[in-house]
Each structure stands twice: as C-alpha cells, then as structure tokens.
C-alpha cells in the first residue's frame, strides 16, 4: 500500500516523533508506514486520518499493481 503520510506530516509541520506520540506508537512504526514496509491497522489508519482532517483514502492508496 502506498501512502501520502510524509506529505501530510510536513503540511501539518509534525515530526515523526510528534506524530508517533500523538498516536501512541513508536517513531519506528511511523518510519515503517511511510516507507510502505508496514500497513497500519484500520484503527490506526483512522486515527491518522482524523489527525490530518482527511479520509483514510486520502492518505493511504491501494497499490493496484500488487
């Protein structure tokens, strides 16, 4: 799954550390999500979307090629 998390994070001026703290996860989790190495659970994806006043679909894109 592809995502626009880095763009949203920068738009809201949030560091990986700060976002991780807000979500109750580690910075490593944020890094893994941003690199596409880890797909967040639905509850975590919803929390991320809520922080950025966006929909899950705005941030996370299904990789149609995979």
């Amino acid at each position: 799954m592809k995502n626009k998390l880095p763009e949203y994070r920068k738009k809201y001026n949030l560091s990986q550390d700060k976002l991780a703290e807000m979500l109750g996860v580690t910075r490593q989790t944020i890094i893994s999500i941003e690199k596409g190495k880890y797909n967040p659970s639905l509850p975590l994806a919803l929390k991320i979307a809520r922080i950025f006043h966006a929909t899950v679909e705005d941030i996370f894109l299904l990789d149609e090629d995979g």
Side-chain angles (χ1 to χ4, degrees):
M1 182 176 353
K2 297 178 183 177
N3 69 76
K4 296 180 181 177
L5 188 53
E7 292 92 338
Y8 275 89
R9 229 181 11 81
K10 289 172 187 163
K11 179 180 173 184
Y12 280 75
N13 199 28
L14 288 174
S15 67
Q16 290 172 331
D17 282 322
K18 182 62 180 171
L19 180 58
E21 180 184 318
M22 293 170 74
L23 293 167
V25 298
T26 65
R27 179 174 170 260
Q28 188 59 46
T29 299
I30 301 302
I31 292 168
S32 295
I33 293 171
E34 288 186 356
K35 288 184 176 182
K37 294 183 177 182
Y38 172 73
N39 291 331
S41 65
L42 183 56
L44 181 56
L46 289 168
K47 284 182 185 178
I48 291 169
R50 192 172 300 134
I51 285 172
F52 296 118
H53 307 285
T55 66
V56 171
E57 294 87 352
D58 289 336
I59 300 171
F60 298 97
L61 311 167
L62 206 53
D63 189 358
E64 300 294 343
D65 298 330

